């Protein structure tokens, strides 16, 4: 698995995350990406590969679910 930077509307959110695991089916738990202010309307969420763990054989991204929280 690779190292990924999360972007919303082209802006970086949080720090890059290393998703490497020796076995791909291991649940990695919750990964908090950060907090941003969003206006009403459509937005683009992107995960950009920025590298890979030296032990990894590829740049894979496994994504099972996303959860968004409203913070006032």
């Amino acid at each position: 698995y690779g190292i990924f930077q999360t972007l919303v509307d082209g802006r970086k959110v949080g720090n890059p995350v290393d998703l490497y695991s020796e076995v791909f089916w291991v649940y990695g738990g919750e990964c908090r990406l950060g907090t941003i202010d969003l206006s009403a309307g459509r937005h683009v969420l992107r995960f950009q590969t920025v590298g890979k763990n030296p032990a990894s054989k590829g740049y894979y991204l496994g994504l099972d679910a996303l959860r968004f929280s409203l913070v006032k």
Side-chain angles (χ1 to χ4, degrees), residues 5-55:
Q5 175 67 57
T6 304
L7 298 105
V8 173
D9 299 332
R11 297 180 311 181
K12 291 181 181 179
V13 179
N15 295 315
V17 178
D18 186 346
L19 298 175
Y20 175 75
S21 175
E22 290 183 15
V23 288
F24 70 89
W25 60 84
V26 172
Y27 173 68
E30 187 175 282
C31 177
R32 293 178 182 258
L33 301 175
T35 302
I36 59 171
D37 292 324
L38 294 175
S39 60
R42 185 178 177 161
H43 297 278
V44 176
L45 173 65
R46 187 173 88 183
F47 299 96
Q48 179 177 356
T49 306
V50 294
K52 72 174 185 135
N53 185 294

